[in-house]
Amino acid sequence: MTSMMLKEALSAAECVAHQLANDTERYAELGRKLRSTSFSTALTVARGSSDHASAYAAYLIMARLGRVVASLPMSLVTLHKSPLITRDTLAIAISQSGQSPDVVEPIRYFRDGGATTVALVNDIDSPLAQAAEWAIPLRAGKEQSVAATKSFITSLVAGARLVAQWQNDPELLAGLEALPESLTAATQEDWSAAIEVLAPAKNIMVVGRGISFPLALEAALKFKETSALQAEAFSGAEIKHGPMALVEEGYPLLIFATRGPTQAGLLQLATEMRGRGARVLLAAPADVAERDLTLPVAATPDLDPIVAVQAFYVMAAKLSAARGMDPDRPRHLSKVTKTN
């Protein structure tokens, strides 16, 4: 029987097409607002998969617009009641449910203090949507599976749309329009080699760098959540420090070598780790001969993580079943998590 996780992952292209067909003027209006406003501070506010989507959006903002973006430790607002300066601040929240108090309260705090607040949220009637000045729906539809898939992909797309309109970049906007077709193609990639390696595995390192690091973070979370596989995400720049001590004969590593300036170093890392006896699963585009898994590509490299995670999700849902688990009912987890 096909899991709800797999069904929802396979529906991502349709959800993205729906998102792209809506709210165009709202994003354009937000882009004009961001271009005309001076920010001294930019923050993201999110948990779990949404935090990984926020890291992707933050990377695009920093790389393309030159604004430094930090992930807010929400307890500074919710528990410590720290007197954070809100003036000239941009706060961006991403959430599927928009229900968690530790996401809602900081957005309300920053908005009350005069900051520009944006919520990219699937439930547009949620407390988070009401708290933000700019609330834009992800349009992923209701998500039944505990493990977020289509809402994560639509979150990535929403973050990229925000950046494309802020930067007013025709190439990125055109690349976004081509995403539904690229996502559909991504579902056809054969990642069965990963299932063979990981079905009996006890642990794994997931590696990315730069724009692919949020992808590594999300993959590691899904391995834990849906396959009870102890997974840790590392930047390719960090793995040669402490994490190297964990690598032994047959130790699995999944490396996301997406296109761009970080790719060469990740390919070199894969070669080095193979030399140390690791069981490397190198996910790279079709032009990389030494790849183990083919990474689909988008119209522009900055959108590659969106189609890459689509291929990963299909494999992750099948891996969970291969390990005798139900990805729709992870142990001890529920769909909406509310923390303070």
Side-chain angles (χ1 to χ4, degrees), residues 74-330:
M74 284 93 93
S75 62
L76 288 173
V77 175
T78 61
L79 300 178
H80 292 280
K81 308 298 181 185
S82 303
L84 299 178
I85 296 169
T86 57
R87 190 177 60 254
D88 303 325
T89 295
L90 169 64
I92 301 170
I94 299 180
S95 175
Q96 196 286 126
S97 71
Q99 299 286 338
S100 188
D102 63 349
V103 176
V104 176
E105 191 176 327
I107 290 297
R108 189 175 289 128
Y109 172 87
F110 278 98
R111 184 178 183 180
D112 289 347
T116 299
T117 53
V118 179
L120 305 175
V121 57
N122 203 32
D123 183 354
I124 201 63
D125 297 318
S126 63
L128 175 63
Q130 293 162 14
E133 176 188 0
W134 294 83
I136 306 181
L138 299 178
R139 299 193 182 274
K142 184 171 178 58
E143 196 165 50
Q144 312 261 353
S145 174
V146 172
T149 53
K150 61 178 183 172
S151 66
F152 179 74
I153 290 173
T154 52
S155 297
L156 296 178
V157 175
R161 286 182 84 184
L162 181 154
V163 172
Q165 291 289 357
W166 184 355
Q167 192 180 14
N168 200 16
D169 184 301
E171 183 188 3
L172 189 56
L173 287 166
L176 283 159
E177 291 301 322
L179 272 175
E181 185 179 347
S182 301
L183 285 163
T184 299
T187 63
Q188 303 304 311
E189 295 292 352
D190 181 9
W191 278 33
S192 55
I195 297 174
E196 290 175 27
V197 172
L198 299 178
K202 293 181 179 171
N203 45 31
I204 185 174
M205 281 188 207
V206 190
V207 183
R209 191 175 181 190
I211 203 165
S212 69
F213 184 55
L215 184 55
L217 289 167
E218 174 63 10
L221 175 63
K222 286 298 184 287
F223 280 138
K224 288 183 282 233
E225 189 177 29
T226 63
S227 281
L229 180 58
Q230 178 59 46
E232 289 190 83
F234 291 103
S235 163
E238 295 290 341
I239 201 166
K240 292 183 182 179
H241 296 276
M244 185 76 90
L246 292 171
V247 177
E248 58 187 1
E249 190 69 33
Y251 193 104
L253 268 80
L254 172 57
I255 300 177
F256 285 103
T258 57
R259 294 180 297 172
T262 62
Q263 187 186 64
L266 290 168
L267 298 181
Q268 184 179 347
L269 177 69
T271 300
E272 188 174 331
M273 290 295 113
R274 284 184 175 124
R276 291 173 179 268
R279 181 60 179 90
V280 173
L281 291 165
L282 174 61
D287 62 350
V288 177
E290 65 269 33
R291 71 190 185 284
D292 300 281
L293 308 168
T294 301
L295 274 185
V297 297
T300 181
D302 277 353
L303 301 177
D304 281 357
I306 299 174
V307 292
V309 81
Q310 175 73 90
F312 168 80
Y313 279 154
V314 173
M315 182 277 291
K318 293 177 180 178
L319 174 65
S320 178
R323 287 171 66 87
M325 303 187 70
D326 181 352
D328 297 332
R329 294 174 181 79

